């Protein structure tokens, strides 16, 4: 007996390939999720600071997750109109002439190329303006330091590599047979700038790395552009129809911007979790101290993306919860809600894993100051949330000082599960926070790209307008905002004071 399907199409397949797992989601054309399925893969850590994954594991996870999601959704796979994939970035893959991996992938969190970042920064090349207006530092996460590490430490493998590319590019190559790159990944992490000729050729030449240009995919596709149709082999692997359109995706957090509806200038995506990301769209290019970017064409043609980030946010809240030995946050939230703004004089600097922006200081550390015997666990809990919120506001202030003043912030991720945290964020910044219905913004962003690429909607902006559904808005309390100003200014002074002490400790090897 033939299978009976519950729903009619067309449907869209969005794939979010993260650090720990690959998640496939089936969506209708209104952006409603029908089903998700995730498959984990392993990360190995051969040495401290190294992190590797096997690209074959990604491919296997893709087949398992897609087949499971289609089954859960109870749809005819023939009714899927198109698909798109987002991935981590920069996760650097070296391939031979047959597109087979020559070594495990150096995933985004692999920092072995830290020594190479100094070489990159020392070039003084104009392409470095996206790194705090050329002041740096350059992150060991990025493409050129990683490729330079392979060149310096595995020269025979570098020579053999026909292709050095992203996780993203490897997956699309296996799906369609086409060797191409995403404008998103290469604009935000390869020092590529389409407005200035594209490839940072002079930087590569100064590094003795000109051969890398020939190993990078020559074709660069916009988000939402057709990569190609599924090959017979790929279609069999995924349980989908041959020639199903595969549409260009990009880096997970940036595709999350689209899944939050941040597709117009002046908007900011606020993606929360273990860390926070602040990603905005501007009509104008700018490069300033304390911000990363702007990246031209990285999301939508003719627009510029600005980036900020906090390294440890939700991870600090979770650390405190674990210290208290409680299973969830419910009691802590209830206790902290009763306290006044400023936690009765307790200030927290959330730099437990260093600072990403605006200082980009890997040796900065967490700070509690103002402690008294009156302070209880709720004070520390609230003060940590306030410290994270102050860090976000400092990033927004830095963006404003460079000319970017967002008038709309859309928030997603772990912080949205706490009404206390949401309200503190809104009050500290004195800006409303928009919440959306679908929490998995990257997967929905892929579905939006797939819809635009398949012609269901005329462009990405229209698709986002139709498929991103607002679930609520958190309005700021202006009086609370005024109360926070003294504590916020104190928070800012904390870094300037404590950084001197930290540097003295570093000089002594501590």
């Amino acid at each position: 007996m033939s299978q009976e399907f519950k729903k009619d199409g067309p449907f869209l397949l969005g794939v979010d390939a993260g650090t720990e797992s690959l998640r496939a989601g089936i969506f209708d054309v209104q952006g409603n999720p029908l089903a998700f399925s995730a498959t984990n893969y392993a990360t190995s850590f051969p040495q401290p600071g190294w992190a590797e994954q096997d690209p074959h594991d990604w491919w296997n996870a893709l087949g398992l997750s897609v087949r499971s999601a289609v089954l859960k959704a109870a749809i005819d796979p023939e009714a899927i109109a198109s698909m798109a994939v987002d991935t981590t970035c920069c996760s650097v893959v070296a391939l031979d002439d047959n597109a087979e991996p020559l070594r495990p992938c150096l995933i985004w969190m692999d920092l072995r190329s830290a020594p190479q970042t100094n070489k990159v920064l020392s070039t003084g090349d104009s392409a470095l303006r996206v790194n705090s207006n050329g002041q740096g530092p350059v992150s060991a996460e990025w493409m050129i330091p990683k490729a330079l590490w392979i060149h310096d430490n595995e020269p025979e493998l570098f020579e053999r590599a026909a292709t050095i590319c992203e996780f993203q590019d490897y997956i699309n190559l296996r799906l369609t047979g086409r060797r191409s790159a995403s404008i998103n990944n290469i604009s935000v992490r390869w020092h590529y700038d389409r407005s200035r000729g594209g490839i940072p050729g002079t930087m590569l030449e100064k590094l003795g790395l000109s051969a890398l240009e020939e190993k990078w995919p020559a074709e660069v596709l916009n988000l939402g552009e057709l990569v190609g149709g599924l090959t017979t082999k790929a279609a069999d692997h995924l349980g989908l129809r041959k020639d199903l359109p595969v549409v260009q995706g990009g880096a997970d957090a940036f595709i999350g911007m689209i899944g939050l509806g941040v597709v117009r200038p002046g908007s900011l995506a606020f993606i929360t979790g273990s860390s926070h990301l602040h990603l905005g769209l501007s009509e104008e290019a700018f490069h300033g101290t304390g911000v990363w970017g702007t990246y031209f064409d990285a999301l939508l043609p003719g627009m510029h993306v600005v980036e900020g980030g906090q390294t440890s946010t939700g991870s600090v809240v979770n650390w405190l919860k674990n210290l208290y030995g409680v299973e969830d946050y419910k009691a802590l939230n209830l206790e902290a809600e009763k306290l006044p703004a400023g936690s009765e004089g307790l200030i927290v600097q959330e730099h437990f894993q260093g600072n990403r922006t605006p200082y980009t200081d890997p040796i900065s550390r967490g700070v509690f100051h103002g402690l008294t015997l009156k302070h209880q666990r709720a004070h520390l809990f609230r003060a940590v949330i306030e410290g994270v919120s102050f860090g976000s506001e400092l990033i927004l202030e830095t963006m404003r000082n460079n000319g970017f003043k967002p008038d709309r912030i859309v928030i997603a991720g772990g912080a949205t599960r706490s009404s206390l945290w949401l309200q503190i964020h809104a009050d500290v910044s004195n800006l409303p926070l928009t919440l959306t219905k679908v929490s998995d913004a990257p997967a929905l962003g892929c579905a939006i790209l797939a819809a635009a690429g398949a012609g269901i909607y005329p462009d990405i902006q229209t698709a986002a307008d139709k498929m991103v559904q607002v679930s609520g808005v958190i309005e700021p309390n202006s009086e609370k905002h005024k109360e926070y100003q003294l504590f916020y200014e104190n928070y800012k002074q904390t870094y300037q004071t404590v950084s001197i002490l930290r540097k003295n400790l570093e000089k002594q090897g501590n």
Side-chain angles (χ1 to χ4, degrees), residues 167-287:
F167 182 170
Q168 169 81 201
D169 312 328
Y170 170 80
I171 291 294
N172 283 343
L173 177 60
R174 292 208 63 173
L175 290 172
T176 69
R178 187 176 184 182
R179 184 175 178 264
S180 60
S182 168
I183 185 65
N184 176 247
N185 298 67
I186 68 174
S187 293
V188 304
R189 296 293 181 264
W190 295 22
H191 290 95
Y192 178 99
D193 188 340
R194 185 179 275 168
S195 70
R196 295 166 60 93
I199 297 293
T202 57
M203 178 190 286
L204 297 180
E205 185 177 355
K206 292 172 186 175
L207 292 167
L209 204 57
S210 295
L212 180 61
E213 184 173 347
E214 295 302 315
K215 299 176 187 294
W216 279 347
E219 288 190 281
V220 178
L221 303 182
N222 288 337
L223 295 181
E225 190 172 347
L226 179 67
V227 181
L230 287 182
T231 65
T232 300
K233 189 173 181 180
D236 289 344
H237 181 63
L238 272 60
L240 302 176
R241 62 183 169 90
K242 182 179 181 296
D243 295 325
L244 175 76
V246 178
V247 172
Q248 183 66 62
D252 45 10
F254 292 85
I255 304 308
M257 294 176 70
I258 295 172
L260 292 175
V262 177
V263 291
R264 289 181 174 79
S267 296
L268 183 95
F270 189 8
I271 301 171
T272 70
S274 297
S275 60
H276 277 17
L277 282 172
H278 315 74
L279 301 168
L281 275 179
S282 170
E283 289 183 310
E284 305 295 332
F286 61 90
H287 306 288

Side-chain angles (χ1 to χ4, degrees), residues 66-83:
V66 169
R67 285 178 174 274
S68 177
V70 170
L71 187 63
K72 287 181 180 179
I75 64 167
D76 184 348
E78 295 286 326
I80 296 176
S82 60
M83 66 176 289

Side-chain angles (χ1 to χ4, degrees), residues 5-176:
F5 301 110
K6 297 178 182 177
K7 308 166 187 75
D8 297 324
F11 302 110
L12 304 156
L13 172 59
V15 176
D16 174 26
T19 303
E20 297 180 356
S21 66
L22 183 146
R23 193 171 191 221
I26 306 294
F27 297 83
D28 65 20
V29 295
Q30 287 77 43
N32 298 304
L34 278 65
F36 289 102
S37 183
T39 304
N40 293 335
Y41 32 70
T43 302
S44 63
F45 303 94
Q47 295 186 35
W50 295 25
E52 299 181 343
Q53 290 177 348
D54 183 347
H56 295 105
D57 291 343
W58 303 334
W59 184 245
N60 292 335
L62 180 61
L64 292 170
S65 293
V66 169
R67 285 178 174 274
S68 177
V70 170
L71 187 63
K72 287 181 180 179
I75 64 167
D76 184 348
E78 295 286 326
I80 296 176
S82 60
M83 66 176 289
V85 180
D86 73 67
T87 65
T88 60
C89 172
C90 274
S91 292
V92 176
V93 186
L95 306 174
D96 67 14
D97 288 327
N98 297 315
E100 282 295 318
L102 289 168
R103 66 167 338 280
C105 169
L106 281 63
I107 68 169
W108 68 272
M109 68 170 67
D110 189 303
L111 302 179
R112 73 183 72 184
S113 60
Q116 280 71 27
T117 64
N118 296 325
K119 293 182 183 180
V120 176
L121 191 61
S122 69
T123 66
D125 195 84
S126 62
L128 293 167
R129 66 195 177 283
V130 297
N131 303 106
S132 282
N133 202 24
Q135 296 186 40
V138 176
S139 174
E141 296 176 15
W142 289 28
M143 165 60 83
I144 291 177
K146 282 191 168 84
L148 185 57
W149 185 92
I150 296 173
H151 175 272
D152 292 348
N153 293 275
E154 299 176 350
E156 293 182 4
L157 186 146
F158 182 87
E159 182 68 25
R160 285 177 57 205
T163 301
I164 293 179
C165 63
E166 290 271 358
F167 182 170
Q168 169 81 201
D169 312 328
Y170 170 80
I171 291 294
N172 283 343
L173 177 60
R174 292 208 63 173
L175 290 172
T176 69

Side-chain angles (χ1 to χ4, degrees), residues 385-404:
I385 293 175
E386 289 175 340
V388 170
S389 300
F390 292 152
S392 291
E393 173 57 17
L394 182 55
I395 289 170
L396 292 174
E397 181 182 318
T398 305
M399 288 181 175
R400 291 193 295 268
N401 290 341
N402 283 287
F404 178 70

Side-chain angles (χ1 to χ4, degrees), residues 354-403:
N355 177 268
R356 194 175 187 216
T357 60
Y359 306 117
T360 317
D361 182 351
I363 68 170
S364 185
R365 292 294 179 261
V367 176
F368 285 74
H369 69 85
L371 280 165
T372 71
L373 293 177
K374 183 182 180 182
H375 288 116
Q376 304 297 314
R377 70 175 193 172
H379 289 84
L380 275 68
F381 182 74
R382 182 179 179 111
V384 164
I385 293 175
E386 289 175 340
V388 170
S389 300
F390 292 152
S392 291
E393 173 57 17
L394 182 55
I395 289 170
L396 292 174
E397 181 182 318
T398 305
M399 288 181 175
R400 291 193 295 268
N401 290 341
N402 283 287

Side-chain angles (χ1 to χ4, degrees), residues 241-451:
R241 62 183 169 90
K242 182 179 181 296
D243 295 325
L244 175 76
V246 178
V247 172
Q248 183 66 62
D252 45 10
F254 292 85
I255 304 308
M257 294 176 70
I258 295 172
L260 292 175
V262 177
V263 291
R264 289 181 174 79
S267 296
L268 183 95
F270 189 8
I271 301 171
T272 70
S274 297
S275 60
H276 277 17
L277 282 172
H278 315 74
L279 301 168
L281 275 179
S282 170
E283 289 183 310
E284 305 295 332
F286 61 90
H287 306 288
T289 302
V291 296
W292 287 8
T294 53
Y295 312 115
F296 180 64
D297 271 7
L299 202 75
L300 296 168
M303 293 191 194
H304 307 263
V305 177
V306 61
E307 177 182 7
Q310 292 164 273
T311 308
S312 45
T313 54
S315 54
V316 182
V317 179
N318 187 61
W319 166 82
L320 192 60
K321 176 182 73 74
N322 291 339
L323 281 184
Y324 290 154
V326 297
E327 293 185 2
D328 59 47
Y329 295 103
K330 184 177 180 180
L332 292 171
N333 275 294
L334 289 173
E335 293 170 19
E337 284 175 356
K338 299 173 184 177
L339 297 174
S343 302
E344 297 191 292
L346 181 56
I347 303 295
V348 173
Q349 177 174 283
E350 83 290 5
H351 300 180
F352 281 45
Q353 291 290 109
N355 177 268
R356 194 175 187 216
T357 60
Y359 306 117
T360 317
D361 182 351
I363 68 170
S364 185
R365 292 294 179 261
V367 176
F368 285 74
H369 69 85
L371 280 165
T372 71
L373 293 177
K374 183 182 180 182
H375 288 116
Q376 304 297 314
R377 70 175 193 172
H379 289 84
L380 275 68
F381 182 74
R382 182 179 179 111
V384 164
I385 293 175
E386 289 175 340
V388 170
S389 300
F390 292 152
S392 291
E393 173 57 17
L394 182 55
I395 289 170
L396 292 174
E397 181 182 318
T398 305
M399 288 181 175
R400 291 193 295 268
N401 290 341
N402 283 287
F404 178 70
K405 301 177 181 179
D407 52 20
R408 180 173 182 263
I409 296 178
V410 189
I411 188 168
T416 63
R417 293 193 288 271
S418 168
S419 59
L420 172 68
W421 199 342
L422 286 171
Q423 193 62 57
I424 290 174
H425 263 312
D427 293 346
V428 167
S429 297
N430 205 31
L431 288 169
L433 302 177
T434 298
L435 299 163
T436 59
K437 181 179 176 181
V438 177
S439 60
D440 195 330
L444 177 58
C446 284
I448 290 168
L449 293 175

